Amino acid sequence: MSEPTLRLSGIAKTYNAGRENEVQVLRGASLTLPPGEVTALVAPSGAGKSTLLHIAGLLDVPDAGRVEIGGQDMTGAGDRARTRTRRREVGFVYQFHHLLPEFSALENVVLPQLAEGMAKPEAEARARRLLDSVGVADRADHRPAALSGGEQQRVAFCRALANAPRLLLADEPTGNLDPATSDRVFGALMALVRETGLAALIATHNLELAARMDRRLRLDDGRVVPA
Ligand code: ADP
């Protein structure tokens, strides 16, 4: 079996430890994500989905437990190594797209590549390919405000994938879209995962969408269990 793209082992996270408003969000959460699969993370609001995604994506540090990305143990890594791995290996998509409003769709997908040292012609070619793969190539020159919600979210997926990460983390990525649009965004994502061997972990409330993913996990009292 190929090496997991993400392995979380025994992750614990408590906010406001020792204070009266202490929240033990994660209590030994473990999961592995193989390449080329989309896994749903289903749990009610407040269960700790965002906390888990932030820890998996090296945006936050757990109190205990181990985070491995592509077989590399990031547990004791310093800020620079964490930032480097995050930029190269991890793409994020949020409920609201967070695209840069003053740049076109194309530029939003080009800029992260330039930041990683890609030459502009190659970055633009890759951005156009990505936009084309999710059906928004004809919107490349529009700014986000001129795009529909579904188009914006598809551009946000392209931006997350701009530097060809091996891990995609998405937090309620279709949460503010109507069913038909969320269906289209999801279909585009599945095609990309199959094509690139990406591993995706998608937090969602949408049980119908979750049912179409390869695997479903749930957060139960701070631990990850099959859904
Ligand atoms: P979900 O994404 O499933 O809605 P979160 O991971 O956002 O859950 O939050 C889990 C719990 O941790 C919630 O009770 C939330 O209020 C609390 N929480 C999240 N972030 C912080 C923080 N920075 N400080 C204190 N409490 C937090």
Side-chain angles (χ1 to χ4, degrees):
M1 200 185 123
S2 56
E3 184 176 86
T5 302
L6 172 71
R7 189 197 300 274
L8 300 179
S9 321
I11 300 293
K13 183 74 180 180
T14 298
Y15 292 113
N16 304 318
R19 289 187 240 147
E20 65 181 61
N21 56 352
E22 174 178 298
V23 200
Q24 287 185 23
V25 183
L26 300 175
R27 311 165 182 241
S30 301
L31 63 81
T32 57
L33 297 186
E37 275 192 17
V38 181
T39 301
L41 182 63
V42 188
S45 189
K49 299 184 296 297
S50 305
T51 302
L52 189 78
L53 291 180
H54 285 153
I55 289 170
L58 307 176
L59 288 169
D60 200 356
V61 186
D63 301 327
R66 179 196 279 257
V67 180
E68 289 162 81
I69 296 180
Q72 198 184 350
D73 184 3
M74 300 307 297
T75 313
D79 279 350
R80 277 185 61 184
R82 292 167 57 82
T83 301
R84 194 172 60 229
T85 299
R86 183 170 64 244
R87 286 203 184 141
R88 285 188 187 160
E89 312 280 12
V90 186
F92 283 96
V93 182
Y94 300 95
Q95 177 170 8
F96 298 99
H97 55 78
H98 296 308
L99 295 170
L100 299 170
E102 68 274 30
F103 292 98
S104 70
L106 184 80
E107 289 165 334
N108 267 279
V109 185
V110 165
L111 290 171
Q113 300 179 71
L114 300 184
E116 283 300 291
M118 180 83 86
K120 199 167 175 196
E122 283 78 28
E124 287 190 356
R126 176 167 171 78
R128 286 191 193 282
R129 272 201 308 279
L130 280 167
L131 293 171
D132 189 40
S133 71
V134 297
V136 289
D138 58 334
R139 315 299 281 162
D141 298 327
H142 292 70
R143 291 186 184 190
L147 304 178
S148 73
E151 288 168 345
Q152 291 171 356
Q153 202 54 309
R154 279 180 280 168
V155 175
F157 271 107
C158 294
R159 180 193 45 190
L161 299 173
N163 288 318
R166 56 169 102 202
L167 174 63
L168 182 75
L169 301 170
D171 202 349
E172 297 283 351
T174 60
N176 67 334
L177 302 177
D178 64 74
T181 305
S182 106
D183 211 58
R184 201 168 323 135
V185 172
F186 179 70
L189 169 69
M190 285 304 274
L192 280 171
V193 166
R194 296 291 184 257
E195 189 185 306
T196 62
L198 185 71
L201 182 61
I202 303 190
T204 183
H205 283 119
N206 185 332
L207 295 178
E208 251 172 71
L209 218 54
R212 292 165 53 193
M213 300 188 200
D214 297 307
R215 218 154 44 104
R216 281 146 296 282
L217 301 174
R218 193 160 60 80
L219 268 174
D220 183 19
D221 200 19
R223 291 188 185 83
V224 178
V225 296

